[in-house]
Amino acid sequence: MTSLNTEQPLVSVIIASYNHGPYIEASIGSVLAQTYGNVELLVVDDGSTDDSVERIRRLQQQHGFDFLVQKNQGLSRTLNDSIARARGDLIVSFGSDDVMLPERLALQVAYMQGKPEVGICAGNIEEIDARGVSRGAPRKLALRRLDFEDVFLNRKPGAPAPTLMFRREALEKVGGFDPQIRLEDLYIQLKITRAGYFVDILAEVLALYRVHGTNTYKNYRFMVDNVLKTYAAFSDHPAYAEVCARFRNSMLLKCARTDRQLAVELLRQIPAKYWGSKTLKGLWRILEGSVKAR
């Protein structure tokens, strides 16, 4: 699907689909329902084993958007290949289980006009469950601008992945996504802000983030491995050790009750000088779990 309106910048929306059969139609439908008039939609199925391809094909036959089926290559490589085929100056990578609100693209394009320093524009989200029911009112967050230090040191509320809009120029300047890092959103924000661009996050809710059983953030081992790999790409930063320790402390607290092996690994990796309340709470949860297991 491509609009013929050439007065507005072309936005290329890329949906990389992988085993999200129950959600993919809502995701694609939300792009097709955008009020913005100049959109190119590219959908790539990255080796799904469910009925995603059949569902997408039905929609593609009706609406005529670009659709490609491929063997599994991973999200970062799929995004790089899709960006190379896309024609827009503005690029949106959108989850095959999430939903855009109708005004999303229009608001972001209008905001980015005349702001070449903004490499990424984002917005706020509302969480929904697997059935599409709201999980509660979204957080009220004001418009904010993030530079590299803000993102690396986590000094301000971050940019939700379902709302990211990239300036193509910024993506090309940093060489796109790294296929070796599978948690692509944090890595690309750090790369783009280190290159001198800003991430501006609008106050408006732009997307519905679907919380379900297979969300990436629930895979603690995956999160630990890929976030630490991401931070390692910026190990020359003076706060690198502290940032890694802070992240390990946070993940230790999250996984201490559900993945004791990972929690113990994280605990051993945290230097004593970075121990704090989270470390002690995590340790207590590990010990608590050990007692209950006897």
Side-chain angles (χ1 to χ4, degrees), residues 191-203:
K191 288 286 285 185
I192 286 175
T193 51
R194 180 166 256 196
Y197 294 94
F198 294 103
V199 178
D200 283 9
I201 308 172
L202 308 182

Side-chain angles (χ1 to χ4, degrees), residues 54-159:
E54 290 76 11
R55 290 173 181 263
I56 298 168
R57 277 194 175 130
R58 286 197 294 268
L59 285 174
Q60 196 272 340
Q61 288 167 4
Q62 183 180 354
H63 298 284
F65 52 81
D66 187 295
F67 179 42
L68 177 67
V69 179
Q70 65 185 28
K71 293 181 179 179
N72 185 266
Q73 296 184 25
L75 182 54
S76 294
R77 184 171 282 107
T78 298
L79 289 176
N80 285 339
D81 292 345
S82 298
I83 291 166
R85 293 193 297 114
R87 297 182 292 109
D89 289 328
L90 297 172
I91 306 291
V92 170
S93 165
F94 194 60
S96 53
D97 52 349
D98 297 325
V99 176
M100 288 187 187
L101 295 184
E103 297 286 339
R104 179 231 164 122
L105 297 183
L107 287 168
Q108 289 181 292
V109 172
Y111 181 82
M112 292 186 82
Q113 293 292 331
K115 298 183 183 71
E117 74 278 10
V118 179
I120 304 173
C121 178
N124 289 330
I125 57 170
E126 179 179 343
E127 291 188 353
I128 57 175
D129 64 17
R131 299 169 299 160
V133 178
S134 174
R135 286 166 48 91
R139 294 171 65 194
K140 291 185 178 180
L141 297 169
L143 171 68
R144 53 208 184 275
R145 170 166 285 189
L146 278 60
D147 60 16
F148 175 80
E149 298 293 314
D150 294 324
V151 180
F152 192 67
L153 302 176
N154 196 26
R155 296 193 300 201
K156 300 177 184 177

